[in-house]
Amino acid sequence: MIIYAEVEIFLYECHSLKNKRSVLKRLQNRLTKDLNIAISELDFQDLWQRSKLGIVTISESSDIGEKIIQQACKIIDSFTELERTITHVEIR
C-alpha cells in the first residue's frame, strides 16, 4: 500500500527564505531518520512563512502506513516554530 499525505504548515518565526529552509531541513532530516519516509516541499517555495509538504510511505498494510503518517504528523507538531494547518491523506 502507498500512503501519501499533503501537509500545509505555517512557520511563525521565519523572517527569510534562508531561515525557512533551515527549519524545513531539520524537519525533513528528523522525519527521514526516525520514520524512513520520503518527504518533499511541494508548494509555496517562495513564501517565508508557509509551506506544503508531501510525505510518502509504502507498507504491507494500510494500518501500518497510516500509523507511520500519524507518527510523522506528531513529529511535525512537536516543532514549536511551526503549525500544521491542513492535512490530506490518501491510500492507494
Side-chain angles (χ1 to χ4, degrees):
M1 310 279 334
I2 299 171
I3 294 83
Y4 169 77
E6 285 186 4
V7 179
E8 288 192 31
I9 58 174
F10 187 79
L11 298 105
Y12 290 108
E13 299 174 7
C14 291
H15 300 289
S16 69
L17 289 175
K18 183 177 180 180
N19 188 267
K20 172 187 171 183
R21 286 186 181 37
S22 171
V23 172
L24 291 180
K25 189 68 170 172
R26 282 191 298 117
L27 177 64
Q28 290 175 343
N29 288 339
R30 176 138 180 237
L31 287 171
T32 55
K33 183 185 78 155
D34 291 355
L35 300 176
N36 194 23
I37 58 175
I39 183 169
S40 180
E41 186 175 16
L42 301 177
D43 203 358
F44 311 116
Q45 288 91 347
D46 57 343
L47 298 179
W48 294 354
Q49 295 183 322
R50 191 172 178 197
S51 183
K52 180 186 263 188
L53 303 175
I55 302 170
V56 177
T57 187
I58 299 174
S59 70
E60 58 194 37
S61 73
S62 62
D63 291 338
I64 294 171
E66 285 183 58
K67 287 180 184 178
I68 292 172
I69 294 296
Q70 287 175 356
Q71 289 174 343
C73 289
K74 285 181 184 179
I75 290 172
I76 292 169
D77 292 341
S78 74
F79 278 67
T80 58
E81 58 263 44
L82 59 88
E83 178 185 358
R84 181 169 53 99
T85 57
I86 299 172
T87 303
H88 175 72
V89 178
E90 286 186 28
I91 301 172
R92 296 189 182 212

